[in-house]
Amino acid sequence: MPQKKKQSTRKTTKKPRQTKKRRPSSKRNSKKVTFRWPDLILVVLLVTLVSIQTIKWFDKHDETPKVEQTAGEKSKQEFIKELVPSAQKQQRQHHVFTSITLAQASLESDWGTSELSAKYHNLFGVKSSDPNSPLLTTKEYVNGQWITVKDRFAAYDNYDQSIAAHAQLFVNGTGWDSKHYQGVINAKNYQEAAKALQSNGYATDPDYAQKLIDLIQEYHLDQYDL
């Protein structure tokens, strides 16, 4: 009789498959942030506003002096620099302050724009007895008021001649007093020189000395004094 094979009672157990735990994905769990156009525009506007206010604050508290030259100011500076060499030459020879020469030339020629200075190179309104000299109108302060008069004025070939003649007036004085402007020559500073011009009647304007001093200080003309 055939023998039955003994069935093995041994149970084969399958190991359960280990599933790898997946780490939570930040991409999956994070919510997607989207900007709407109105929000984006608002952010840009806020950033721009803050930037503008910051710039304004720095500009307001910036202690560095900012000099903005207009076209007129630039031409004035050019006019001054053109006259400096001649004015300094007269200061070396005759002790007429360069700042005084520059201030007088600027004031009396309206920065070189008057007809007398532009056409005839007469910077200081020097008059002439020559009947062939130019006849022009000018303003003079007479009896407490300004009046317009016509008179003849000297004409020069260039500004150098005008500045030289101007210095000679102080050196030689007037026909009735050779030392009439000695106070200008002997002045220790431009303030004294300006007041000496005023006291000796160089101009009829009662505020002439102060106008010269103001011009010198405003445009720092004393920097050219030797």
Side-chain angles (χ1 to χ4, degrees):
M1 201 172 162
Q3 293 181 354
K4 292 183 179 179
K5 293 182 179 180
K6 292 182 180 180
Q7 292 181 354
S8 175
T9 58
R10 191 176 181 180
K11 294 182 179 179
T12 58
T13 57
K14 293 183 178 179
K15 292 182 180 181
R17 179 182 290 180
Q18 292 182 351
T19 57
K20 294 182 179 180
K21 293 183 179 180
R22 295 181 178 177
R23 294 180 181 179
S25 173
S26 58
K27 291 184 179 180
R28 291 182 180 180
N29 293 336
S30 62
K31 294 182 179 179
K32 187 176 181 180
V33 179
T34 58
F35 284 99
R36 294 177 297 175
W37 277 109
D39 295 334
L40 186 58
I41 293 174
L42 181 60
V43 171
V44 172
L45 289 175
L46 287 174
V47 171
T48 304
L49 181 61
V50 171
S51 300
I52 292 173
Q53 293 300 324
T54 303
I55 292 172
K56 286 183 177 180
W57 188 90
F58 278 107
D59 287 342
K60 184 178 180 180
H61 294 80
D62 186 7
E63 296 181 355
T64 305
K66 298 178 180 178
V67 180
E68 296 181 1
Q69 283 191 342
T70 62
E73 289 297 321
K74 186 176 180 181
S75 63
K76 288 179 181 180
Q77 294 296 336
E78 291 173 349
F79 174 75
I80 290 171
K81 289 180 179 179
E82 183 180 357
L83 303 185
V84 166
S86 294
Q88 289 182 333
K89 178 181 178 181
Q90 297 305 318
Q91 182 175 357
R92 281 191 293 268
Q93 293 179 351
H94 306 296
H95 200 263
V96 180
F97 280 101
T98 300
S99 57
I100 287 292
T101 301
L102 296 176
Q104 285 189 282
S106 301
L107 179 63
E108 297 184 33
S109 72
D110 194 15
W111 302 95
T113 62
S114 68
E115 181 183 4
L116 185 60
S117 61
K119 190 173 181 179
Y120 302 103
H121 299 99
N122 188 334
L123 293 168
F124 306 97
V126 177
K127 295 179 181 179
S128 173
S129 57
D130 185 352
N132 296 320
S133 59
L135 180 64
L136 302 172
T137 58
T138 185
K139 287 186 177 181
E140 293 186 357
Y141 194 80
V142 179
N143 297 326
Q145 62 181 351
W146 287 98
I147 61 173
T148 301
V149 297
K150 282 192 173 184
D151 213 331
R152 295 195 177 275
F153 293 85
Y156 304 100
D157 294 332
N158 50 58
Y159 287 154
D160 292 344
Q161 290 182 2
S162 179
I163 292 175
H166 175 258
Q168 285 301 313
L169 172 63
F170 297 150
V171 173
N172 299 325
T174 61
W176 64 89
D177 183 8
S178 61
K179 296 185 181 296
H180 190 73
Y181 292 112
Q182 198 64 37
V184 180
I185 300 291
N186 296 334
K188 296 179 181 179
N189 51 60
Y190 67 82
Q191 291 95 337
E192 287 186 11
K195 291 175 183 178
L197 285 168
Q198 181 81 58
S199 61
N200 285 282
Y202 178 89
T204 58
D205 186 350
D207 299 319
Y208 189 75
Q210 191 57 51
K211 287 179 179 179
L212 293 181
I213 293 172
D214 290 344
L215 274 175
I216 291 171
Q217 293 176 347
E218 181 179 356
Y219 292 95
H220 308 289
L221 300 181
D222 54 323
Q223 67 180 300
Y224 302 110
D225 288 336
L226 303 176

